[in-house]
Structures are given as C-alpha cells and as structure tokens.
Amino acid sequence: MVRANGAVSLRELARVVQTSEVTVRRDVRALEAEGLLDRRHGGAVLPGGFTRESGFPQKSLSATAEKTAIADLAASLVEEGEAIVVGAGTTTQELARRLARVPGLTVVTNSLLVAQALAHANRVEVVMTGGTLRGSNYALVGSGAEQSLQGLRVSRAFLSGSGLTAERGLSTSNMLSASVDRALVQAAAEVVVLADHTKLGADTMFQTVPTDVITRLVTDEPPVHDDRAITELQALADQGVQIAVASTGAPSAGSPQSPPAPPGDTDTSPGRPARRDVPLPGQRRTRGGAGPGPQRLNPAGGLEPGAGAGAGAVERSTRMADLRRR
C-alpha cells in the first residue's frame, strides 16, 4: 500500500487489513527496521520521504475519509458573498466541491482541480492565477502566478501542504509550490490550514506558512495512540492556532468510542457538519456569533478565569487535555 500510494495512515491500514492499530503499528516498526518504509506520525511513507513528493494519484488515495471530514468542516466556515483564495492539493479539491453550494462566493485559485470542481457552480465566480502548469499536482506556479496575486485582498486563504509542525508551520516538498502558497497567504486576512493527522509533525523542505501566521487548523482527530500528533496539536494550540477537529464518523480500529461532544460544542445548523473547536490559549482572532468568548487553557489544562461561562465552556476547555490523556 505504501509503494502504491506513497503514504498511508495507520487508520487506513487497520481498516484494510481488518485488525487493530496496535497490531499495525507493531508491524510498521518491523518494516521500518528492515528499511522498507519510514514511519511518520500516524502513518508511514516510502524511505526518503522527507524530500520526496507523491504525485496527485498517490495523494488522492491517502487518508480519504479524513480529507472528506476536514473538507466538510472547512466549508462550514465559508459564508455567502465572501472572497477567498484556495491553494492546490487533494484536500482543497475536496473543499472546492463543497464550496459550489455557497452563493455569491468568489474563489481565487492556482489549482486546475479546484477550478474544475467549481466550473459548473452558477453562483460562484472563479478567478485563476497565471503561471506555468506543474503537472504533478495540476497547479499553476512560477512568477506569473505570484505576480497575478499582487494587490489582491480576500478574507481567507485555505491551504494544505506536505507537513505541519509547531516549530516551522506548514511546509511542502516543492520550492515553486511553496513560493506561490506564500503569495496566496499575503493576499488573505486569515489563513486556514487543512491537514489530516498524518501530516502533523511531518517536516518537509520548504516552509510555506509560519506558525504565527496560521489562524486556524482544520484537522481530524488523531488515533488514540498517536502521542506525537496529539502533542503537536497541543504545541500548535499553545502558539495561538485555533484548532477545529472534524469527526470521520467512526472510531478507528481497535480504539474505544470517543465521548460525545459536550453541550454547546456542536453546530447543528442545516447542511453544516458537527465540529469540535479545541479551546486554546491566546487566540489571536475570533469570529462573531453567539456563545462564550475565546477559551483559554492554563498550564494545568483548566479554564482560566474570565475565559467563558457555563458547564459547556468548562467541558470544551478540557478537550485537548482529554486527547493528551488518551
């Protein structure tokens, strides 16, 4: 599976071979010892994966359920009449398919796949950058793409990448792609990163978005035993990144069922997926709406005074602590 896809998550492996993630993790360690693959947080890649970039066909087969859940949640952040930029990637392509239902939307993109997904959306305007086509991910790159973004201003940028760490932020394996992504970020008031748990803790060659520029991370819940991914999420939260965790709808193989979402923590609006926003310290930006204000965690994982009220707020504040204990 790793040879075919370039990368694979432990959750996918457990589902395909119908065993527990504990068993899969043990076997992956054995395969790594033989030099057949490299372990990554929550998954495995071909040896030398630090500099290697999988092509679109391989990426499209990796973490498919997680990408779908992330795209559903990310789409719920977009409002009618907004102007946004959407970068290249398989997760952003999934997002674009859902954005076709948002009326009055303007989407600026350098991705042919994102544009294709929105091509028949009557109430969505698509603006494409110039540039040179990079065939491996169907994206426009180079000076033409970067120059076409100069002077642009939109509300949000939605980006994905090859890896995400609290130390370096979002990164990718290709220099040209990284350069265009940086230009996309410069055009946006807020930056939303879409990254499944297999990318948490992965570090690739070219930084695209520093951690202090990332407004929000939309991700899926890491497997129970993926301590590194959970630790990375906490580190990102400690640096002020708002974290929204999308549910894939089922517990991973060999894992206990996750507890139900606490009161007030689920958006039940028509057409919007359930989501859990992990409370975090030092939020830099907030969105308007009803409910308690920004939640802050003290070093012990509790709710700081004045950070919210009610049982729902207290329960939300312990979400990251629950992940760490698991």
Side-chain angles (χ1 to χ4, degrees):
M1 288 181 65
V2 173
R3 285 172 179 163
N5 301 331
V8 68
S9 71
L10 295 179
R11 184 176 295 172
E12 286 180 297
L13 287 170
R15 182 169 59 243
V16 170
V17 301
Q18 297 184 343
T19 188
S20 70
E21 288 189 25
V22 174
T23 299
V24 168
R25 186 174 293 103
R26 183 182 65 236
D27 293 342
V28 165
R29 288 196 187 102
L31 291 170
E32 184 181 46
E34 296 178 20
L36 297 176
L37 50 74
D38 288 343
R39 284 188 297 158
R40 288 291 183 267
H41 305 323
V45 299
L46 289 176
F50 184 82
T51 58
R52 180 183 184 275
E53 182 181 34
S54 301
F56 174 79
Q58 291 75 30
K59 290 181 181 179
S60 65
L61 297 174
S62 176
T64 53
E66 290 85 349
K67 291 175 182 177
T68 297
I70 290 169
D72 286 339
L73 178 49
S76 72
L77 303 175
V78 181
E79 300 174 353
E80 294 184 14
E82 273 197 272
I84 62 175
V85 295
V86 179
T90 53
T91 310
T92 51
Q93 180 189 24
E94 287 295 323
L95 169 63
R97 292 185 176 124
R98 289 147 182 82
L99 295 180
R101 300 189 292 268
V102 181
L105 190 65
T106 299
V107 178
V108 181
T109 185
N110 69 319
S111 169
L112 298 185
L113 298 174
V114 168
Q116 182 184 43
L118 295 168
H120 299 292
N122 294 329
R123 295 180 291 177
V124 177
E125 181 179 0
V126 179
V127 179
M128 294 207 67
T129 68
T132 302
L133 177 63
R134 184 167 179 258
S136 61
N137 65 346
Y138 301 93
L140 297 172
V141 297
S143 59
E146 295 170 39
Q147 290 172 10
S148 66
L149 293 166
Q150 293 180 3
L152 180 70
R153 194 63 174 169
V154 298
S155 58
R156 294 185 186 88
F158 290 87
L159 300 174
S160 61
S162 302
L164 178 65
T165 66
E167 181 179 359
R168 290 185 69 216
L170 190 67
S171 61
T172 186
S173 301
N174 182 266
M175 181 173 62
L176 293 175
S177 295
S179 185
V180 174
D181 282 352
R182 285 192 288 267
L184 291 172
V185 167
Q186 290 296 319
E190 297 184 1
V191 178
V192 182
V193 170
L194 313 182
D196 64 78
H197 72 271
T198 65
K199 297 177 181 178
L200 297 177
D203 196 7
T204 52
M205 289 186 69
F206 301 99
Q207 183 192 58
T208 57
V209 189
T211 305
D212 61 359
V213 177
I214 299 173
T215 308
R216 185 189 298 265
L217 165 65
V218 183
T219 186
D220 61 295
E221 187 168 345
V224 173
H225 303 291
D226 193 349
D227 294 335
R228 291 181 180 179
I230 294 170
T231 300
E232 202 69 50
L233 279 178
Q234 180 63 60
L236 288 163
D238 289 343
Q239 294 198 36
V241 178
Q242 302 175 37
I243 298 175
V245 180
S247 173
T248 56
S252 47
S255 303
Q257 177 69 48
S258 300
D265 206 31
T266 301
D267 184 352
T268 56
S269 302
R272 291 180 179 256
R275 81 167 185 259
R276 286 168 290 185
D277 283 315
V278 176
L280 44 97
Q283 285 181 321
R284 295 187 302 276
R285 303 177 179 90
T286 58
R287 291 171 56 83
Q295 306 298 306
R296 298 175 183 269
L297 293 178
N298 60 34
L303 189 66
E304 292 182 354
V314 175
E315 287 182 289
R316 283 195 296 276
S317 74
T318 62
R319 178 63 183 155
M320 188 65 74
D322 288 342
L323 286 173
R324 288 200 302 272
R325 285 196 295 272
R326 289 172 57 198

